[in-house]
């Protein structure tokens, strides 16, 4: 149901205390489904996505400069998507390759 590009991968680590941020372009939309209505639950990011100098205060969707707090919409809270962990998009660049190799390794292990 998510309208983000299917290739986008979210961090999904255990959220910490810091509030997720959105940039001026992404402001007001749900971080999961891009809905602009019924913001319900504030977004919490994991420590790793909050304290790194490159990540701090940045938009969780596109990593631009954050200007407002990020929210999950009511629908996503009902579906408990807010409990899936840190929603920061992390596959801009090398993390995608990491994931690919991680999957491959797992495949070898299984055999
Ligand atoms: Zn994270
Ligand atoms: Zn953004
Ligand atoms: Zn939503």
């Amino acid at each position: 149901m998510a309208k983000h590009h299917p290739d986008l991968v979210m961090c999904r680590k255990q959220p910490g205390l810091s509030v997720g941020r959105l940039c001026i372009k992404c402001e007001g939309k749900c971080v999961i489904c891009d809905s602009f209505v019924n913001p319900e639950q504030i977004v919490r990011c994991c420590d790793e996505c909050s304290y790194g100098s490159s990540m701090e205060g940045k938009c969780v969707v596109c990593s631009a400069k954050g200007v407002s707090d990020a929210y999950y919409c009511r629908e996503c809270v009902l579906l408990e998507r807010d409990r899936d962990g840190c929603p920061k998009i992390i596959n801009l660049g090398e993390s995608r390759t990491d994931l690919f190799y991680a999957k491959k390794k797992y495949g070898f292990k299984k055999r």
Side-chain angles (χ1 to χ4, degrees):
M1 211 189 282
K3 280 190 227 147
H4 291 316
H5 195 275
D7 274 359
L8 293 182
V9 176
M10 292 184 185
C11 169
R12 298 299 194 207
K13 288 198 186 76
Q14 178 74 38
L17 289 174
S18 37
V19 173
R21 304 286 283 167
L22 286 176
C23 70
I24 201 140
K25 257 198 310 180
C26 306
E27 188 180 2
K29 76 179 180 185
C30 169
V31 293
I32 304 291
C33 69
D34 294 353
S35 167
F36 282 93
V37 292
N38 302 323
E40 172 105 356
Q41 174 79 46
I42 203 152
V43 170
R44 306 268 179 200
C45 284
C46 73
D47 293 345
E48 215 169 298
C49 292
S50 317
Y51 297 121
S53 54
S54 59
M55 298 285 207
E56 194 172 9
K58 299 274 175 72
C59 174
V60 294
V61 178
C62 69
S63 297
K65 187 177 180 294
V67 293
S68 67
D69 294 340
Y71 283 86
Y72 297 104
C73 72
R74 192 184 300 160
E75 193 189 336
C76 290
V77 173
L78 280 175
L79 294 170
E80 301 194 339
R81 285 165 162 176
D82 59 319
R83 298 190 197 175
D84 285 350
C86 172
K88 181 91 175 72
I89 303 292
I90 50 161
N91 72 328
L92 305 165
E94 55 187 326
S95 34
R96 204 164 124 197
T97 338
D98 287 350
L99 193 82
F100 176 75
Y101 282 119
K103 265 188 197 160
K104 224 175 158 188
K105 227 194 262 167
Y106 184 67
F108 279 125
K109 234 189 200 170
K110 255 178 117 182
R111 255 196 288 164

